[in-house]
Amino acid sequence: QVQLVESGGGLVQSGGSLRLSCVVSGSVFSRYDMAWYRQAPGSQREVVATISTVNVAAYPPSSNGRFTISRNDRNNTLTLQMNNLTPADTAVYHCNAFRENGVVMKIRPQDWGPGAHITVSS
């Protein structure tokens, strides 16, 4: 059973920064393209950053250069540096797999971690 534990969330003012971390166990981390996801209250979960098994990162256009995703396959960790935060970034942030061998993952409900809660005040 895979376990993913996110940390680094909290309360920050508009314009501030946060760094999220995720530790993965119970799976072969290095085999998966990984992603940070977020879900705001009343909204669908969305992808905010991805990183491939060979450290190629990708971001949605709306991130506008504010986010940096990274991975450490030795430590089975995934990080997300977030800068210039706004209230629109308020959400629960999760880490999880994105693709395996080029195929987008369908994550089982039991394979989501607790998430990191981020609140950005104005």
Side-chain angles (χ1 to χ4, degrees):
Q1 175 63 48
V2 65
Q3 291 188 322
L4 309 101
V5 181
E6 301 90 350
S7 62
L11 175 65
V12 65
Q13 293 185 347
S14 293
S17 299
L18 286 172
R19 186 188 298 270
L20 302 180
S21 296
C22 171
V23 178
V24 181
S25 61
S27 187
V28 184
F29 177 80
S30 61
R31 294 180 180 174
Y32 298 90
D33 295 351
M34 298 294 294
W36 283 97
Y37 305 81
R38 71 183 181 189
Q39 187 169 22
S43 300
Q44 294 287 106
R45 182 181 291 111
E46 63 179 341
V47 174
V48 297
T50 66
I51 186 165
S52 76
T53 58
V54 292
N55 280 308
V56 178
Y59 310 90
S62 59
S63 68
N64 200 28
R66 299 182 301 125
F67 300 157
T68 302
I69 188 172
S70 60
R71 67 189 296 159
N72 187 323
D73 288 357
R74 288 187 177 183
N75 298 329
N76 290 356
T77 57
L78 188 75
T79 63
L80 182 69
Q81 176 68 43
M82 302 186 292
N83 299 322
N84 196 24
L85 291 164
T86 76
D89 297 312
T90 295
V92 180
Y93 287 70
H94 292 90
C95 65
N96 220 311
F98 181 61
R99 291 174 177 171
E100 183 181 20
N101 296 322
V103 179
V104 174
M105 297 289 294
K106 183 70 171 181
I107 308 299
R108 301 183 302 174
Q110 62 264 41
D111 289 336
W112 290 100
H117 295 245
I118 287 81
T119 300
V120 184
S121 62
S122 60

